Amino acid sequence: MNEQAVQKRVLCAELGAHVGQEVLLRGFAYSRRDLGGIQFLVLRDRSGVTQCVLSHQHLPLPESSVEVVGKVVEQPRAPGGYEVQATDLRVLSAATEPPPVELPKVEWNANPETLLDYRYVTVRGLRDRAALRVQAVLVEAFREALSTLGFTEIFTPKIVSAGAEGGANLFEIDYFGRRAYLAQSPQLYKQIMVGVFERVFETAPVYRAEEHATSRHLNEYLSLDAELGFIDSEEDVMDVEEEVLRHVTRRLREDCAAEFALFGADLPDFPARIPRIPLLEARRLVTETYGHAVGGKDLDPEAERLLSQYVREHLGSDYVFVTKYPRAARPFYAYFEEDGLTRSFDLLYRGIEITSGGQRIHDLEMLRRSLRERGMSEEGFEGYLEVFKHGMPPHGGFAIGAERLTAKLLGIQNVRFARAFPRDRHRLTP
Ligand code: AMO
């Protein structure tokens, strides 16, 4: 055997091209079984897992980093369809403790708090990492689609002087003795950057001091933002989001079949066109079809679920845009008409809101009026208001909550498992 060939690392997913040959694998000891004369070690690398068959070896603790040399044989019963008959096992970094939960046995009904407590190692589990890989492809596709449409990526501050979204969910920080906040969204800055590039996007964490622990709220989440100038109305913004999500769906179908299979989730599909239903009409549909009385000025979570069900059954789409929210349901920057409705929308996916968006106010006097009518002060917004003296075009945009979309795509019940290290009401580590 050629020494050079032995030294070159082969990945688990590449074994099919090396049947009958001796290969070198590197990875983590995912699981081990010692049956006396014969031993099994499942090795996990970035591409997948491989069963290695050994004898008379000292098997290291699970999650140790190892190197295995051996011959590749076809084995229909082994994961991936091949196994390696190992002649050598070398431990590169020995685990000194077993993981607190057995990663290959982790089911999603294991206590979620325990899984999150030990997330630094449980996140190595095949499903956990699959969710994060799907999210990585999703974000990559978001970038690709927007870049193709002429958008430029921007990077805006996460330490800010005022909250953009209103509400009480601002994290306050001490900024050298002055009061500052963690950004709730890049909203105001992405608008300012429309004056620079016309079309911009950002993929960055944002912060919400949500007091309540729910399955859909994080205190830090990944916001996929876009904003574009020279629009005619919010319809143009929805057109862009539709195009982006169509590309995301295409990429997930091409690149993430294995990840979806691990979750037993169907690969996503995308409608020819996402239905656009005004809020008032959506409320009427939900009430008349399901007898659900919608309280409040928005759709409640149950109404969102029912509307999605209606759209799935009658219009064949997992997505639905709900449009034309009243001013009271939207932030101060939302472009409004004199009838009290805004040029805004939410996008629901399989029963949950994954996006808010709309056209923004681009006229300084209208913006001041909006703040005034809400009883908001201009304090903290001075720098933002200034830009409207400098010819801001009609513009609008949207933001997708990356974890919500990832979780819904894969059927993950709690959005916390669509983030590597979630921050929730009680969790600051790991
Ligand atoms: P909004 O506040 O609706 O809009 O947020 C946009 C999207 O972000 C996601 N999201 C969250 N995900 C996890 N945990 C949370 N606590 C959380 N809060 C929101 C949701 C939501 O649809 N500036 C506007 C967007 C715009 O108009 O461009 C904004 O931030 O998926």
Side-chain angles (χ1 to χ4, degrees), residues 234-240 242 273-278 281 315 319-323:
E234 75 281 23
E235 298 286 329
D236 296 344
V237 180
M238 287 186 269
D239 289 347
V240 168
E242 222 173 292
R273 187 161 188 276
I274 300 180
R276 300 176 183 188
I277 305 179
E281 170 76 5
L315 305 170
Y319 291 91
V320 54
F321 281 116
V322 182
T323 63

Side-chain angles (χ1 to χ4, degrees), residues 165 187 190 208 218 221 333 353-356 360 398:
E165 307 302 331
Q187 183 61 37
K190 67 176 178 172
R208 304 275 172 107
L218 291 160
Y221 72 89
Y333 54 75
E353 176 207 316
I354 55 153
T355 288
S356 287
R360 330 296 188 183
F398 64 89

Side-chain angles (χ1 to χ4, degrees), residues 190-400:
K190 67 176 178 172
Q191 289 184 247
I192 294 174
M193 292 305 283
V194 163
V196 182
F197 295 119
E198 294 180 23
R199 300 182 152 211
V200 296
F201 72 93
E202 180 161 13
T203 64
V206 295
Y207 303 88
R208 304 275 172 107
E210 312 279 359
E211 287 281 351
H212 307 290
T214 76
S215 61
R216 54 168 71 187
H217 289 97
L218 291 160
N219 294 109
E220 178 180 55
Y221 72 89
L222 183 64
S223 186
L224 307 181
D225 275 85
E227 195 77 16
L228 62 150
F230 300 101
I231 59 170
D232 291 324
S233 75
E234 75 281 23
E235 298 286 329
D236 296 344
V237 180
M238 287 186 269
D239 289 347
V240 168
E241 180 163 18
E242 222 173 292
E243 183 87 15
V244 168
L245 289 170
R246 184 171 288 115
H247 181 67
V248 166
T249 306
R250 203 181 300 132
R251 278 292 313 275
L252 293 177
R253 293 182 68 92
E254 281 167 13
D255 290 354
C256 295
E259 283 77 7
F260 277 78
L262 268 178
F263 281 88
D266 291 334
L267 280 173
D269 55 16
F270 201 79
R273 187 161 188 276
I274 300 180
R276 300 176 183 188
I277 305 179
L279 176 69
L280 270 179
E281 170 76 5
R283 293 170 68 119
R284 192 185 59 75
L285 277 175
V286 166
T287 308
E288 286 181 6
T289 316
Y290 303 102
H292 176 77
V294 188
K297 46 194 190 263
D298 210 333
L299 291 177
D300 55 65
E302 179 63 4
E304 289 182 347
R305 202 184 62 70
L306 291 171
L307 180 66
S308 286
Q309 186 181 323
Y310 180 91
V311 170
R312 173 78 260 176
E313 283 169 10
H314 294 85
L315 305 170
S317 172
D318 281 331
Y319 291 91
V320 54
F321 281 116
V322 182
T323 63
K324 304 207 180 298
Y325 284 78
R327 286 178 73 185
R330 303 308 276 201
F332 75 93
Y333 54 75
Y335 191 101
F336 58 89
E337 316 278 6
E338 289 311 321
D339 63 5
L341 298 181
T342 56
R343 295 190 184 175
S344 63
F345 61 85
D346 275 4
L347 178 62
L348 310 186
Y349 176 63
R350 293 186 182 164
I352 183 175
E353 176 207 316
I354 55 153
T355 288
S356 287
Q359 182 170 346
R360 330 296 188 183
I361 300 172
H362 61 276
D363 174 79
L364 180 59
E365 282 323 307
M366 187 173 173
L367 200 50
R368 288 207 156 118
R369 180 181 148 200
S370 179
L371 284 168
R372 207 168 47 241
E373 288 178 355
R374 287 163 187 266
M376 290 172 71
S377 136
E378 292 187 9
E379 200 188 320
F381 294 113
E382 296 88 347
Y384 169 67
L385 291 174
E386 280 298 312
V387 79
F388 294 94
K389 296 176 184 166
H390 301 284
M392 283 296 290
H395 64 281
F398 64 89
I400 302 173

